[in-house]
Structures are given as structure tokens and as C-alpha cells.
Amino acid sequence: MESTSLEAHGVSAPLDGPVIAELGGDGKLNRGAIAWAIFEGGRDPYVILITIYIFLPYVSSVLVGDPIRGQEVVSRYAQILGWTVMATAPFLGASIDKLGRRKILLGVIVGLMVPIIGAMWFAKPGGVLSVPVIMGLWAAATLLFNYSEVLHNSLLVRAAGLRGAHKASGLALALGNAASVVMLAFTAWAFALPGKVPWSWVPHAPLFGLDPATAEPQRVVALIAAGSLALGAIPLFLFTPDAPSTGVPLLSAVRSGVADLIAMIRTVRRYKDAVVYLVSRMFFVDGMNAILVYAGVYATGVMKWGPLEMLTYGILLSITAAIGGLAARGLDAALGPKNALRLQITMAILGNLALLGMTPTRILYLWSFDPHAHPAMWAGPVFRTLPEWVFILIGFSNSIFISGQYASSRTILTRLTPPAQAGAFFGVYALAGVATSWLAPTLVNWGTQATHSQQGGFAMIPVLLTVGLVGLAFVKGGGREP
């Protein structure tokens, strides 16, 4: 599944002519570029294992003890995190070219992330870590994750050259998705399935003596994510070239970066349709991100799914997300990126509304379902009822169209902007991506508190998607290429 990257290489000041010539390359991926991609493959499982499918749903349902209250807790910390990212990440992205070297700072960030993520292993029921401490660890790790994206993205051209950048970027996304699926599958095989199925190829008990009574099969994903990040970082620090040092002091670099941001905004505002699009995107991308962040918490609380169900759900949706990214290219070509975006946002709205009508005993608001009156749909260990499969099919749709939206969002901007100003526009694109990152968590928190239900919080997300969809109606351009 595509990560919610800040794409900070767009925020950075444009490279000058000699540097572009130096970094042009022939499009082939050398070991530095492959190492750059491997880093993303090692980093992205944090989002899948910790934020979306396993750890945060475990905190919400088990440690908080009440899924509704758990959704409030998660949204409150996500709101604070969004404010912090909005206030800091754009300035880091704008300043890094002035500072020069990135790998030292990136090494410090990774060095902090690994033990912080690993410390989540100690988040056991009745343990020494309170829920506020655990959520503080998650917020700190996620903030550092965003900073690592900024620095990692800024090394892309250095690693792969201008002609190979798209190949390295695609390889990185593929490795991130593949690593996430493999780790979810391994966690299910090694820790969640043992003792629950008679299959000969599954261990009889969780590996390494993990104890389900203390939620060790759920907590172990913290160690897996920390180890994945550490191992994935090693090739980057060994083989990916760093930018040369500029000798510019930190405060001077920040001041210069802020000036560049202001110059970018002044450049962009002269193009009305691009500005309208970027404002619209602030709303719909925040809604899309919220569906991903709250998908696991919502499924755990509403459908009463445990860790095995969530692992399987994560595997299936990670696969369909990859399909969505590939399908977006066809939609962009057939419909034009603006109409592709309209379709993707509309389907996300419908999917979100459909999820609101699902419970273990009700299908799409209207049809009651008695699990005891219907035979199991199959003899497997998970997803044995019709409401569960309908919920999964809705998840497939959301995964495909949300993933595709990330691709189409970039394509439409290239149709609305002059090529000579691409750097400035993608800089503001990255800034707009974090400007409202606090809004969805705030609305979800309000909705959950006001209605005392997870559905009430989740119902706020279509509001953001609808605002973004309406805004697109005022954008001229972005159609099919002749």
C-alpha cells in the first residue's frame, strides 16, 4: 500500500544545471539506487503492522478496553501528531538542500526510531507502560517516520539519477508492499494460526514460546517492524551517495528554506486551476489517509475481529492496494486524471458509507443477519459469515481506489502546471499534503465523542472527501491527452 509520503524532494530548491548534468545517469539502477529502494521496503512495514492492522487496533480494543474510547484516544493523538508534522516537516523539506548532507541526520532519526518502535513490545495488558505512554511512543515514532521520508526522498536523484528516479521510486513502492505482505503472512503463520488450525504446515504452538494470554503475538510486530527498519537501513548507509556538505549553518539553512517556500507559494498562486486543485486535494487526501489509519481500529471494534482476522485482512488489502496503483495508470489514460480522481473519490465515499452500515449482524443498513441461523460459508479459521465477506469486499474497493488516488493526484498536477515550474508546484503539493493532516483526526474525535460510537467518528470522513470532490468541479483541465 502506498505510504502517505511527504514527497519532500519536491519541496527542496531546484537543482542547478551542472548538478542536473552530473546526476543525469542512463536510467539503470546501480547499487546505490537499489539500496535507496531497500530502505523504503524496510521502513514501510511500520505503517502496516503498527498503525493500520495490528498494533493500534490492539491498543484500542485490548489496552483501552473499549473500541469507542479507543478510537477517541487514537484520533486525539493523531490530531496532535498532525499539528506537529504540519508545523515542522515542510521546513525540514525546504532546508535540507541548504544543509547538504542528509545521511547523518537520517542516521540519527533511524537510530531513535528503532528503539522507540521496539519499546512497544512492552505494551502488555497490566504492564508498566500506560496507554498515554504507549501512544506517545507511537506518535514519536510516526513523527520520526515522516522526517525519515523527507530525508530519504531528497536522496532519490542522488541515488538513481534523473533518468532512473522513476524506476527507483517504483521499486521502492513494490518492495514496501511486498515486505508488508510477507511480514503479515509470517506473523499469521508463526504466531496467530498455531493452535487454531490442524494444518500440518502450521506450527502447533506460537514460535519462540510467545504467550497469547499476554498478547505477545500482537506485540511482537513491534520487534518485527523495528528489525525490518534497522536491516533495511544498512544498505542505504553503505551504498547510497550522500549530498556534499555545504557548510551552511543550521539557522541560515532554515531561513533560506522558508524564503524558498514563500517564493514557491507566490509562484503557484498565479495559476488558478492548480491552486483550486491543491486546495481541493488538501481535503480529499486527508480523508483518504484517515480511512487507512482508522481501518484497523474500526474493523476491530465494529466487526469484533481478533489478531488473526486483522492479519488476514491486512494481507488481502495490501495486495489489492498494489492492484489499485497499477489500475490508476489505465484510468488516467482512459478517462483523464481529473475524471479518474472523481471516480476514485466517489468510490471512496460510497465505500466509507457502506462500512457504516456493516456489523456482524447487519449488512448494508437494511438486512439483518443471525449468525446462528446460517451455516458457515467455509470451514476456515476466519471470515466464516456473510457480513464479514461483504465488509472485506468493501475494503477491497476502498483499497483499490484509495491507492489509485495517490497516483492520479500526481498525474493531474502535471497537466495543470507548466513544466518549467514543476519543482515549485510539487513543493506546494507536498506542503498541502500535510497542511490539513490534523483535520481528519479532529473530526473523527469529535464525531466519536458526540455520538459515543465508532460509526459516528467514521461518518465524518466522507465530509472531507465530498469537499474535495466538489472542489474538483471548479478545476479546468486535467482531461485526457489527445
Side-chain angles (χ1 to χ4, degrees), residues 114-450:
V114 170
I116 290 174
I117 296 170
M120 297 180 194
W121 158 258
F122 298 101
K124 64 180 180 180
V128 295
L129 298 184
S130 65
V131 169
V133 170
I134 295 165
M135 291 304 300
L137 290 172
W138 169 78
T142 306
L143 177 64
L144 292 170
F145 182 96
N146 280 277
Y147 292 163
S148 75
E149 282 192 312
V150 172
L151 295 168
H152 178 240
N153 286 342
S154 73
L155 287 169
L156 173 57
V157 175
R158 293 272 170 194
L162 292 172
R163 296 179 183 176
H166 68 289
K167 295 181 181 179
S169 180
L171 176 61
L173 291 173
L175 290 176
N177 283 320
S180 298
V181 171
V182 168
M183 291 178 195
L184 285 167
F186 172 76
T187 304
W189 172 81
F191 309 119
L193 280 172
K196 297 182 179 179
V197 294
W199 303 335
S200 59
W201 51 274
V202 173
H204 296 298
L207 296 187
F208 314 119
L210 296 191
D211 183 6
T214 58
E216 288 182 344
Q218 292 103 300
R219 295 189 284 122
V220 76
V221 297
L223 301 180
I224 294 173
S228 172
L229 173 62
L231 291 175
I234 292 173
L236 180 136
F237 290 111
L238 289 178
F239 304 121
T240 299
D242 201 353
S245 175
T246 63
V248 176
L250 176 62
L251 290 179
S252 298
V254 172
R255 283 196 297 267
S256 181
V258 171
D260 282 353
L261 278 177
I262 295 172
M264 288 180 202
I265 293 171
R266 287 175 176 170
T267 297
V268 168
R269 69 185 185 184
R270 296 198 297 266
Y271 298 87
K272 177 184 174 182
D273 289 309
V275 170
V276 173
Y277 165 67
L278 289 170
V279 172
S280 300
R281 179 182 175 272
M282 286 195 301
F283 291 95
F284 71 71
V285 80
D286 202 30
M288 298 284 189
N289 292 341
I291 294 175
L292 296 179
V293 170
Y294 294 104
V297 172
Y298 187 82
T300 300
V302 172
M303 299 304 293
K304 314 301 180 187
W305 285 348
L308 180 55
E309 288 84 358
M310 293 306 301
L311 283 165
T312 309
Y313 189 54
I315 293 169
L316 295 174
L317 263 62
S318 294
I319 294 171
T320 55
I323 296 172
L326 295 174
R329 292 186 296 180
L331 283 177
D332 288 347
L335 304 177
K338 185 172 80 171
N339 285 331
L341 265 179
R342 283 175 166 173
L343 174 63
Q344 289 152 354
I345 297 170
T346 299
M347 293 303 296
I349 292 172
L350 294 176
N352 191 279
L353 293 175
L355 288 180
L356 296 176
M358 295 299 304
T359 73
T361 59
R362 187 169 298 277
I363 301 174
L364 298 175
Y365 300 97
L366 302 176
W367 295 283
S368 296
F369 182 87
D370 182 359
H372 303 292
H374 296 82
M377 296 186 66
W378 72 307
V382 294
F383 309 142
R384 303 180 66 185
T385 68
L386 181 59
E388 290 178 302
W389 278 105
V390 174
F391 193 96
I392 290 170
L393 290 175
I394 297 170
F396 286 171
S397 175
N398 283 342
S399 180
I400 288 171
F401 288 105
I402 291 173
S403 178
Q405 167 269 150
Y406 289 115
S408 297
S409 290
R410 289 192 293 263
T411 305
I412 186 175
L413 189 60
T414 65
R415 305 286 178 85
L416 299 174
T417 60
Q421 299 294 332
F425 279 97
F426 274 100
V428 178
Y429 176 94
L431 176 62
V434 299
T436 55
S437 58
W438 53 272
L439 184 54
T442 300
L443 293 177
V444 171
N445 195 21
W446 287 350
T448 306
Q449 289 182 347

Side-chain angles (χ1 to χ4, degrees), residues 28-48:
K28 296 179 181 178
L29 296 185
N30 57 25
R31 68 178 184 177
I34 295 171
W36 182 92
I38 289 173
F39 178 78
E40 185 161 327
R43 182 190 62 197
D44 281 3
Y46 168 82
V47 177
I48 301 298

Side-chain angles (χ1 to χ4, degrees), residues 17-77:
V19 174
I20 288 178
E22 174 191 347
L23 300 178
D26 60 4
K28 296 179 181 178
L29 296 185
N30 57 25
R31 68 178 184 177
I34 295 171
W36 182 92
I38 289 173
F39 178 78
E40 185 161 327
R43 182 190 62 197
D44 281 3
Y46 168 82
V47 177
I48 301 298
L49 295 173
I50 301 296
T51 298
I52 300 180
Y53 294 115
I54 307 301
F55 189 79
L56 275 193
Y58 156 72
V59 173
S60 173
S61 61
V62 176
L63 297 186
V64 177
D66 174 6
I68 297 172
R69 176 63 180 158
Q71 185 166 291
E72 290 182 26
V73 170
V74 170
S75 59
R76 183 167 67 249
Y77 279 86

